[in-house]
Amino acid sequence: MKHFKTFTFIISAILLPFFLSAQDNPIINATVSGRVTDAKTTEILIGATVSIKGTTNGATTDANGEFSLITGQKLPFTLIISYIGYQKKEVLINNGKIEIQLEENTNQLSDVIVTSRRRQESVQDIPIPISVIRGFAAEDAGAFNPNRLKELIPSVQLYSSNGRNTTLNIRGLGSSFGLTNDGIDPGVGFYVDGVYYARPAATAIDFVDIDRIEVLRGPQGTLFGKNTTAGAFNITTRAPSFTTGASFETSYGNLNYIQAKASITGALSKKLAARVSFSGTQRDGTLFNTTTLKPTNALNNLGFRTQLLYTPSDNVNITFAGDNARQRPDGNATVVAGVVTTKRAAYRQFYAIIADLGYKLPTTNPFDRVTDADSPWRVNNDFGGASVNIDAKIGKGTITSTTAWRYWIWDPSNDRDFIGLPVLTKSQGNSRHDQWTQEIRYAGQFSEKLTGVFGIFLIDQLLTSDPVQTEESGSAQWRFSQSSTSTLWKTAGLFDGFGTKTTSRLKTLGAAVFSQVDWSITDNLHLLPGLRFNYDKKDVDYKREIYGGLQTTDPALLALKNGVYTNQSFNFSVDENNISGQVTLAYKPSKTFNVFATYANSYKPVGVNLGGLPTANGITLIELAKVNPEFVTHYEIGIKTRPTPQSTLNITIYNTDIKDYQTQVQTAEVGVNRGYLANAEKVSVKGVELDGNIRVGNHLSFNTAVSYTDGKYISFKNAPVPLEETGGTSAFKDISGGILPGISKWAGSIGGEYSRAGKLLNLKGNHFVALDAYYRSLFSSSASPSQFLNIDGYALLNGRIGFRASNGVSILLWGRNILDKNYFEQLLPAAGNAGHYAAVLGDPATYGTTFRFTF
């Protein structure tokens, strides 16, 4: 931490003269604001793109059709305005407050403007496969957190059994499937306003005041600070505005669903603007707990975000941001989904065990949505931080400094046996994570034919148990752990209150230098090479101590206890450095056709095991503490087209090979919390993606996306056996050729919206009706392929109907999973591999209404 602060201070001192030199005398009317409307009806246009011609500066209109730009350009200058179904328009402006009217045009589908390459450009011009969801579109579709986005972008996979155990993948790659181990870095970058979020728990938090979500697919390590081997989420929130405005939203639905959102923005002085945003969500549980006699798996989320924008000159913008999000749901309970006959002896099968204990499952149908979990549930998840972002226009580019601190506090209590017996009565993996990041980059034009990005990045992380992590067994543990017919297993109190207390500390330091340039060989042919140097260092201290149970000196009884939990400790340091890069060749013979080919290699940092290590003959396998870094080799060909002025159609073909793939594996040992990490020698993922949009007339639009993904273990010769093979002659097997978990071969989404001008209660505006469908085929829910832990394919249908008034009022009725499809999101073997496995259930049909007002 000391070295990090020293480095940040030195960099700030070096950059200060540049920032000061950029502070020219203020230019009058540097703030430009206005409203975009329909030229014929004067209806406001929400989500129109407004940019300053010849610059990277731009914005989109809000729910009141308004926009605000902070610019260093001297008036007059030209604005470019575009909107779906309307003619693109260039307007020369001479003052800071304007109203722009657009004419309808059935022959034009507007551009979507993004900033993923650190400049504003059309998504169709970027030689990267990228999906963009605008904030208002996500809100209308009910995608209020990243988990909902997978229904809109089929290349995205997100699995979550609770806030901590969250996996965010793109094309099936990024993080290990299943239960999270804090010792590895995610392979999908998650950025909010340029700040990297290191913990997967960030993706469990509700969005707060989102303007745009850009999802980039494939390695992106030469554009972003943190290395991203599988892709990146680049999320932009709504910025403070010098024009006063506010929005309020409330939603009500079944299961006592209530959601409220609010955002207020405006000028505090001539050079200072602010935005304060809030989001809160509550909903009753979707399962019923027969032990507590009340619903469980509720939603209880709160989020706040505050931003200050300071403009000391027209060439410098400084944004201070702070946010806090918290979740206090009533549990993340699962339901027993099935029972597998393992290769263990008959007396060790699940049904024989519970019969001896006089227990019966409350139901054998998981879609009865009933659980009898008897351990108290606690899922306290806190996430937040603060950042300072400085943008200074220097020459023909912009230098950006982003300094941020973030924290994550995880305070859980789970029932790891999934049933109403006191087997594993406590599972409390308390953790605290603090991260400090510093990114500095320059993006701009280096010469007439050369543009690009150059940057440096530092991340310092500290992850600790907070203060200890606890696992504890109950009175029924003896029968589930019983591995012989000895009567000693029945010794009274042998396992009652027997558990472990773990203290751990992981200190991580990462540094990188990255660059990507765009060389315009000709106007139509561009070469884009990129290079990255990574350095990663991790220091680990891990100590687990047993406690409780029957206090005895009998060696035979101690051996039984040690078969469940043992003392374990290790500490070591590891560091790695590597050079990676990519090169893209892009050819754009016309405005309607863009083709590109990319070769990239990338590294995912070295990992460590922080959930306990497996044993062999009572000896801890310390050599498994280190997890080798992944090496990724990636090839991709993409074509982006506009078959007609009213449509786009894009296709991408890719192949990704990974050496030393980091995977999470389940073990039969109760004492290995949440499984452990291992390396598969080689995996391969290849596929095809297609997406398109079309507008029919001025009132009807469609969008679709389809992905085919084939992910396999090319070589994994020492993988743990699947659940059904537990107790066989070997605990490991060769699963080479098996499918990777979490990947559906086919996934797709399709949506459409019809709108028409009209009135509602004397309000002028647009009526609309929209439907969205999402489908995915069968996928494996086990790191080692299992014939029992496959999830059948399913399709979901969502819809909404409503009215958007020109005065900023919106009213809609919505439904999600309106056909009430029963489906699993994830299947999880219980700790100890007794044969039963649980399911994370998808939500049942939900419906409600939303009222939104913006002024």
Side-chain angles (χ1 to χ4, degrees):
M1 179 61 184
K2 179 180 178 181
H3 298 301
F4 178 85
K5 289 181 177 178
T6 301
F7 180 85
T8 302
F9 176 78
I10 293 172
I11 290 298
S12 298
I14 293 172
L15 290 177
L16 183 60
F18 291 101
F19 292 138
L20 293 176
S21 67
Q23 296 188 35
D24 302 328
N25 293 328
I27 300 171
I28 299 174
N29 293 326
T31 300
V32 177
S33 61
R35 188 170 67 164
V36 180
T37 62
D38 184 298
K40 185 181 297 184
T41 66
T42 70
E43 309 292 343
I44 61 171
L45 299 180
I46 303 169
T49 298
V50 182
S51 60
I52 301 174
K53 188 174 182 178
T55 76
T56 62
N57 198 352
T60 56
T61 55
D62 60 22
N64 203 30
E66 296 183 344
F67 67 91
S68 180
L69 294 171
I70 311 298
T71 176
Q73 303 293 111
K74 291 184 179 181
L75 293 171
F77 54 76
T78 300
L79 290 181
I80 302 175
I81 308 95
S82 61
Y83 187 69
I84 295 175
Y86 288 78
Q87 297 178 28
K88 184 186 292 186
K89 190 172 185 177
E90 294 191 6
V91 179
L92 182 68
I93 63 170
N94 294 284
N95 58 70
K97 182 75 174 181
I98 60 172
E99 178 163 323
I100 301 168
Q101 296 183 333
L102 297 184
E103 299 281 349
E104 284 188 321
N105 182 358
T106 60
N107 295 317
Q108 184 69 41
L109 186 67
S110 73
D111 288 338
V112 178
I113 305 299
V114 297
T115 58
S116 296
R117 293 207 299 166
R118 313 308 185 186
R119 59 179 183 250
Q120 292 211 341
E121 54 192 338
S122 167
V123 69
Q124 287 297 103
D125 292 335
I126 300 177
I128 299 173
I130 179 172
S131 302
V132 183
I133 306 294
R134 290 175 173 173
F136 68 88
E139 291 165 352
D140 281 355
F144 60 83
N145 60 31
N147 192 27
R148 298 281 179 93
L149 288 179
K150 66 187 181 187
E151 298 174 14
L152 303 176
I153 307 173
S155 293
V156 171
Q157 298 90 29
L158 193 147
Y159 307 97
S160 180
S161 55
N162 58 42
R164 175 192 189 143
N165 293 317
T166 299
T167 299
L168 177 62
N169 285 350
I170 296 176
R171 296 171 171 171
L173 300 174
S175 298
S176 57
F177 179 85
L179 300 172
T180 298
N181 190 306
D182 295 319
I184 61 170
D185 293 24
V188 173
F190 194 86
Y191 295 85
V192 178
D193 291 338
V195 177
Y196 173 68
Y197 287 21
R199 303 318 307 171
T203 61
I205 302 298
D206 290 358
F207 291 134
V208 179
D209 215 10
I210 297 298
D211 178 69
R212 184 176 66 253
I213 303 159
E214 303 168 14
V215 180
L216 292 79
R217 306 189 289 276
Q220 304 298 332
T222 60
L223 283 175
F224 290 85
K226 190 67 174 69
N227 202 22
T228 56
T229 58
F233 276 64
N234 186 34
I235 297 173
T236 304
T237 67
R238 296 181 176 109
S241 171
F242 284 88
T243 301
T244 301
S247 64
F248 302 94
E249 177 182 312
T250 57
S251 299
Y252 303 91
N254 64 326
L255 300 173
N256 290 318
Y257 173 82
I258 301 174
Q259 186 176 74
K261 297 180 180 180
S263 181
I264 302 173
T265 189
L268 301 180
S269 68
K270 289 184 178 180
K271 295 180 180 293
L272 189 66
R275 178 180 287 272
V276 179
S277 307
F278 160 83
S279 175
T281 306
Q282 292 190 44
R283 190 189 69 186
D284 287 349
T286 56
L287 305 181
F288 185 79
N289 190 320
T290 59
T291 299
T292 61
L293 299 179
K294 65 177 185 179
T296 187
N297 287 16
L299 295 177
N300 186 354
N301 306 335
L302 286 176
F304 301 88
R305 186 172 185 85
T306 302
Q307 298 178 82
L308 292 174
L309 173 63
Y310 176 52
T311 58
S313 79
D314 299 296
N315 290 339
V316 177
N317 293 336
I318 304 175
T319 302
F320 304 87
D323 67 280
N324 174 262
R326 55 175 285 176
Q327 293 180 320
R328 296 293 186 270
D330 179 11
N332 281 110
T334 55
V335 297
V336 174
V339 177
V340 173
T341 300
T342 70
K343 292 186 179 297
R344 287 172 169 166
Y347 74 90
R348 299 196 66 188
Q349 302 301 321
F350 176 76
Y351 282 120
I353 294 171
I354 65 172
D356 287 351
L357 296 172
Y359 170 78
K360 185 178 180 180
L361 291 171
T363 179
T364 57
N365 180 4
F367 297 111
D368 286 341
R369 298 184 178 271
V370 171
T371 180
D372 63 346
D374 58 335
S375 295
W377 285 95
R378 185 173 69 250
V379 194
N380 296 346
N381 194 21
D382 292 81
F383 208 87
S387 65
V388 179
N389 187 87
I390 305 173
D391 287 311
K393 184 179 179 183
I394 299 176
K396 294 184 178 181
T398 299
I399 190 169
T400 299
S401 171
T402 304
T403 307
W405 163 73
R406 299 207 60 78
Y407 71 90
W408 168 57
I409 301 173
W410 176 241
D411 178 23
S413 180
N414 301 305
D415 190 328
R416 286 185 65 214
D417 55 54
F418 304 147
I419 57 177
L421 283 173
V423 186
L424 290 165
T425 56
K426 286 186 181 179
S427 180
Q428 300 173 351
N430 303 59
S431 299
R432 179 182 175 98
H433 175 262
D434 289 271
Q435 71 171 67
W436 300 264
T437 56
Q438 176 67 62
E439 180 172 347
I440 300 170
R441 67 177 182 273
Y442 178 82
Q445 187 169 351
F446 304 130
S447 68
E448 183 179 351
K449 290 185 173 292
L450 201 66
T451 61
V453 178
F454 175 82
I456 59 175
F457 177 76
L458 277 177
I459 181 168
D460 190 5
Q461 302 180 69
L462 179 62
L463 179 68
T464 61
S465 50
D466 187 28
V468 297
Q469 298 179 347
T470 305
E471 296 285 328
E472 186 175 299
S473 295
S475 59
Q477 179 65 262
W478 73 270
R479 187 61 184 87
F480 279 81
S481 295
Q482 184 180 5
S483 58
S484 72
T485 56
S486 170
T487 57
L488 291 177
W489 288 98
K490 298 182 181 181
T491 303
L494 183 60
F495 296 105
D496 290 9
F498 179 48
T500 65
K501 291 187 180 296
T502 300
T503 57
S504 64
R505 184 179 187 271
L506 172 62
K507 179 74 171 177
T508 301
L509 176 65
V513 180
F514 61 95
S515 178
Q516 181 170 302
V517 297
D518 184 337
W519 175 30
S520 176
I521 301 173
T522 69
D523 289 343
N524 299 330
L525 184 64
H526 289 236
L527 183 68
L528 297 91
L531 197 63
R532 180 184 185 89
F533 172 78
N534 270 331
Y535 172 77
D536 294 283
K537 185 177 188 297
K538 296 186 177 182
D539 299 298
V540 182
D541 287 294
Y542 181 89
K543 184 178 182 180
R544 187 179 75 190
E545 296 180 302
I546 60 174
Y547 71 91
L550 180 67
Q551 300 305 300
T552 178
T553 58
D554 186 332
L557 293 178
L558 289 175
L560 297 185
K561 292 180 68 175
N562 288 337
V564 177
Y565 294 121
T566 57
N567 292 326
Q568 197 172 104
S569 65
F570 55 87
N571 60 78
F572 67 94
S573 296
V574 62
D575 62 88
E576 300 274 352
N577 62 78
N578 53 71
I579 295 176
S580 58
Q582 68 177 62
V583 61
T584 297
L585 186 65
Y587 179 59
K588 190 177 180 183
S590 69
K591 293 182 178 180
T592 62
F593 192 85
N594 184 14
V595 59
F596 59 90
T598 296
Y599 165 79
N601 62 59
S602 185
Y603 287 87
K604 187 175 171 185
V606 61
V608 295
N609 267 301
L610 282 181
L613 296 173
T615 60
N617 300 318
I619 299 174
T620 302
L621 301 177
I622 298 295
E623 63 271 18
L624 296 180
K626 175 186 173 182
V627 186
N628 292 332
E630 291 183 352
F631 176 63
V632 179
T633 303
H634 177 80
Y635 303 88
E636 186 167 77
I637 297 175
I639 302 172
K640 295 186 175 184
T641 70
R642 285 184 177 271
T644 69
Q646 308 99 318
S647 63
T648 64
L649 182 64
N650 306 323
I651 186 169
T652 305
I653 303 171
Y654 65 90
N655 184 91
T656 305
D657 294 319
I658 301 179
K659 179 184 177 182
D660 285 332
Y661 173 73
Q662 296 172 349
T663 181
Q664 177 84 16
V665 295
Q666 190 79 13
T667 175
E669 293 189 48
V670 176
V672 182
N673 302 341
R674 298 175 296 279
Y676 68 97
L677 294 168
N679 290 110
E681 295 86 7
K682 186 177 181 180
V683 304
S684 175
V685 178
K686 55 188 175 184
V688 180
E689 298 165 333
L690 182 145
D691 64 83
N693 297 270
I694 187 169
R695 186 167 185 86
V696 182
N698 292 326
H699 308 291
L700 186 62
S701 62
F702 293 98
N703 62 82
T704 188
V706 178
S707 68
Y708 170 81
T709 312
D710 182 19
K712 292 181 179 180
Y713 293 104
I714 301 302
S715 177
F716 195 2
K717 297 178 180 179
N718 200 34
V721 296
L723 177 59
E724 64 269 26
E725 296 181 31
T726 300
T729 56
S730 174
F732 300 93
K733 68 177 297 186
D734 185 346
I735 61 171
S736 302
I739 61 174
L740 289 175
I743 300 177
S744 294
K745 280 206 170 184
W746 291 99
S749 64
I750 186 169
E753 179 174 303
Y754 177 82
S755 64
R756 180 171 287 277
K759 289 186 177 182
L760 180 67
L761 300 177
N762 293 322
L763 294 176
K764 296 178 64 179
N766 288 282
H767 297 276
F768 68 92
V769 59
L771 288 173
D772 300 295
Y774 167 71
Y775 168 77
R776 65 177 307 181
S777 62
L778 177 145
F779 64 95
S780 169
S781 190
S782 173
S784 294
S786 165
Q787 59 179 313
F788 296 97
L789 298 181
N790 292 323
I791 294 178
D792 291 335
Y794 59 87
L796 304 177
L797 182 65
N798 307 318
R800 57 197 177 275
I801 184 171
F803 180 78
R804 301 186 186 102
S806 58
N807 67 350
V809 172
S810 296
I811 302 171
L812 61 147
L813 302 174
W814 49 263
R816 297 186 56 81
N817 188 14
I818 57 181
L819 300 181
D820 201 22
K821 173 67 177 178
N822 288 325
Y823 66 100
F824 298 137
E825 291 205 344
Q826 196 173 352
L827 296 175
L828 302 166
N833 288 17
H836 64 303
Y837 58 93
V840 178
L841 296 182
D843 283 348
T846 55
Y847 48 85
T849 182
T850 295
F851 174 81
R852 188 180 300 135
F853 180 49
T854 301
F855 62 90

